[in-house]
């Protein structure tokens, strides 16, 4: 399912969006999103036709666009495009919609935007059995957002070669996923996920100041769990604390909460009951 956003920039006139055939070409080969990775995106989970955490995803799209100095996106149009994709995929229990904004064709003063959706793959094994994870350095210190803001840490850009390379390295090591670490010894995030660990009964996640994306799924999980009396906290997490955690998850919009069963070859206990509680609550979200 593909919806083109013909005028994705805020405050510009024009026909806002149109549904087109997803198996036909629509993006120019000169588009800077293709040739330079010069753009941003969001992936919105859809449950039975309901986009989940849509407001948070749209806010993060705008935040990423600002970090890349892209034209401010028309969030109302991207919202409408997401709802159209979600409606077309309403018969699927689980789907996703990717929102994309690029700087547009090189040499032209126009941005490119679209919303593309598919039915999700089955993540039940990862959610129940857990995943094997390795830690890999990202090569930056945890103060990168202030010491080197031009590196765009904390932006969800289309420049994903590093993340894909990290996942291939994990596969070479016999693992499923990655937790990035900083050169000064702090936990960051996964290539496509937010890290959550339980320490002394408190659910903890690293802060955005460490150069990580604000996790939409993690934020909803913390809100849902806090309403049930769970203790949650956002703070810097030392790499050494991973060994002290009695449970560990990677959270993302499509896979939701995947418990880590092995970290760098060391077994990690899986809290199956809490994981199921988190995933059931996330799947039941209505917005």
């Amino acid at each position: 399912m593909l919806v083109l956003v013909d005028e994705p920039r805020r405050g510009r006139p024009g026909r806002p969006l149109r549904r087109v055939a997803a198996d036909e070409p629509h993006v120019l080969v000169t588009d800077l999103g293709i040739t330079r990775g010069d753009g941003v995106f969001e992936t919105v989970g859809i449950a039975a036709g309901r986009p989940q955490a849509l407001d948070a995803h749209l806010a993060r799209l705008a935040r990423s666009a600002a970090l890349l100095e892209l034209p401010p996106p028309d969030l109302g149009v991207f919202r409408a495009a997401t709802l159209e994709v979600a409606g077309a995929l309403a018969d699927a229990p689980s789907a996703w919609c990717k929102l994309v904004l690029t700087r547009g064709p090189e040499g032209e003063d126009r941005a490119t935007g679209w919303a593309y959706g598919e039915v999700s793959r089955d993540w039940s094994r990862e959610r129940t059995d857990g995943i094997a994870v390795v830690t890999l350095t990202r090569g930056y210190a945890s103060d990168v957002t202030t010491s080197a803001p031009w590196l765009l840490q904390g932006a969800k850009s289309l420049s994903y070669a590093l993340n894909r390379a990290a996942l291939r390295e994990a596969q070479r090591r016999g693992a499923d996923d990655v937790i990035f670490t900083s050169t000064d010894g702090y936990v960051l995030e996964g290539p496509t996920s937010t890290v959550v660990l339980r320490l002394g009964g408190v659910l903890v996640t690293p802060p955005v100041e460490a150069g990580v994306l604000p996790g939409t799924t993690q934020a909803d999980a913390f809100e849902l769990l806090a309403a049930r009396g769970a203790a949650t906290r956002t703070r810097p997490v030392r790499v050494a604390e991973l060994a002290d955690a009695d449970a560990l998850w990677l959270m993302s919009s499509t896979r939701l909460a995947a418990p880590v069963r092995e970290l760098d070859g060391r077994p990690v206990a899986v809290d199956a009951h809490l994981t199921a509680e988190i995933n059931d609550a996330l799947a039941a979200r209505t917005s």
Side-chain angles (χ1 to χ4, degrees), residues 81-140:
T82 305
L83 293 174
E84 184 160 346
V85 170
L89 300 174
D91 290 339
S94 179
W96 52 265
C97 176
K98 179 176 285 187
L99 306 177
V100 177
L101 172 69
T102 84
R103 205 173 299 275
E106 190 162 8
E108 298 186 26
D109 181 26
R110 63 184 178 94
T112 303
W114 66 85
Y116 173 76
E118 282 190 6
V119 174
S120 292
R121 57 160 286 190
D122 183 3
W123 293 107
S124 56
R125 181 185 64 81
E126 288 83 355
R127 293 171 184 166
T128 54
D129 296 345
I131 56 176
V133 175
V134 294
T135 54
L136 297 177
T137 180
R138 184 175 259 169
Y140 307 129

Side-chain angles (χ1 to χ4, degrees), residues 44-247:
V44 182
I46 300 170
R50 304 186 309 271
Q52 298 181 307
L54 181 54
D55 288 344
H57 280 289
L58 292 173
R60 199 167 67 177
L61 183 75
R63 175 179 179 270
S64 294
L67 287 171
L68 268 70
E69 300 180 52
L70 291 168
D74 188 328
L75 299 185
V77 174
F78 275 102
R79 178 187 297 276
T82 305
L83 293 174
E84 184 160 346
V85 170
L89 300 174
D91 290 339
S94 179
W96 52 265
C97 176
K98 179 176 285 187
L99 306 177
V100 177
L101 172 69
T102 84
R103 205 173 299 275
E106 190 162 8
E108 298 186 26
D109 181 26
R110 63 184 178 94
T112 303
W114 66 85
Y116 173 76
E118 282 190 6
V119 174
S120 292
R121 57 160 286 190
D122 183 3
W123 293 107
S124 56
R125 181 185 64 81
E126 288 83 355
R127 293 171 184 166
T128 54
D129 296 345
I131 56 176
V133 175
V134 294
T135 54
L136 297 177
T137 180
R138 184 175 259 169
Y140 307 129
S142 59
D143 67 349
V144 65
T145 57
T146 54
S147 64
W150 52 87
L151 295 179
L152 300 178
Q153 292 306 301
K156 197 171 179 68
S157 81
L158 292 173
S159 300
Y160 241 55
L162 183 151
N163 289 336
R164 302 304 299 176
L167 289 170
R168 290 193 298 271
E169 179 62 23
Q171 292 170 0
R172 280 191 285 270
R173 299 186 186 197
D176 305 300
D177 214 323
V178 170
I179 292 176
F180 283 125
T181 62
S182 68
T183 55
D184 52 345
Y186 287 93
V187 174
L188 299 177
E189 61 190 343
T192 61
S193 59
T194 306
V195 179
V196 174
L197 59 162
R198 188 172 61 197
L199 290 162
V202 179
L203 294 166
V204 180
T205 194
V208 295
E209 290 79 10
V212 303
L213 283 170
T216 57
T217 305
Q218 166 269 316
D220 280 353
F222 273 27
E223 182 178 353
L224 292 163
L225 290 169
R228 302 179 187 191
T232 64
R233 188 179 176 193
T234 299
R235 65 163 176 83
V237 178
R238 300 289 304 186
V239 173
E241 292 183 277
L242 291 172
D244 298 328
D246 59 20

